[in-house]
Amino acid sequence: MHKIIKTGEWKYSGNTYLPILLVEQEPGNLSSLGSAAFSSTIGKDSTVYYLHFGKYLIDEQGYISADSSSRPFLSVQDALGYAERNIEILNWNTE
């Protein structure tokens, strides 16, 4: 199951803004994306975080599928730092 940590929007192109999600994936669910998606430093017992970009769906089991997803991060701070460094205009929602 995925847990949404943070939501917002990012500037895709021109005046087009798309959703962005910061998502936590619990340990033990890493196989859902295939082993090729993970660094050898990420263990089965690690909680990982992803950035999901664009339109997304949440299935009945609570898993999120989006237009695009980042590589896995080992902390919220790493994921947020990556987004801040690589996205020109990023607006996080205040919860």
Side-chain angles (χ1 to χ4, degrees), residues 1 10 12 15 17-18 24 26 28 40 46 49 51 71 76-79 81 83 85 87:
M1 175 188 275
W10 63 288
Y12 173 70
N15 292 327
Y17 286 81
L18 296 175
E24 176 183 286
E26 297 173 350
S40 61
S46 297
Y49 302 88
L51 296 165
R71 64 176 176 82
V76 169
Q77 295 78 15
D78 288 347
R85 287 189 307 276
I87 299 172

Side-chain angles (χ1 to χ4, degrees), residues 8-10 12 16-21 23 51-58 63-69:
E9 65 179 11
W10 63 288
Y12 173 70
T16 302
Y17 286 81
L18 296 175
I20 184 172
L21 302 175
V23 174
L51 296 165
H52 290 293
F53 304 95
K55 296 176 187 173
Y56 62 93
L57 298 171
I58 302 174
Y63 290 98
I64 298 170
S65 175
D67 288 341
S68 181
S69 298

Side-chain angles (χ1 to χ4, degrees), residues 17-38:
Y17 286 81
L18 296 175
I20 184 172
L21 302 175
L22 173 58
V23 174
E24 176 183 286
Q25 184 167 312
E26 297 173 350
N29 294 321
L30 300 180
S31 62
S32 66
L33 293 177
S35 61
F38 301 98

Side-chain angles (χ1 to χ4, degrees), residues 51 73 75-87 92:
L51 296 165
F73 297 94
S75 72
V76 169
Q77 295 78 15
D78 288 347
L80 291 174
Y82 176 87
E84 295 293 332
R85 287 189 307 276
N86 291 287
I87 299 172
W92 291 112

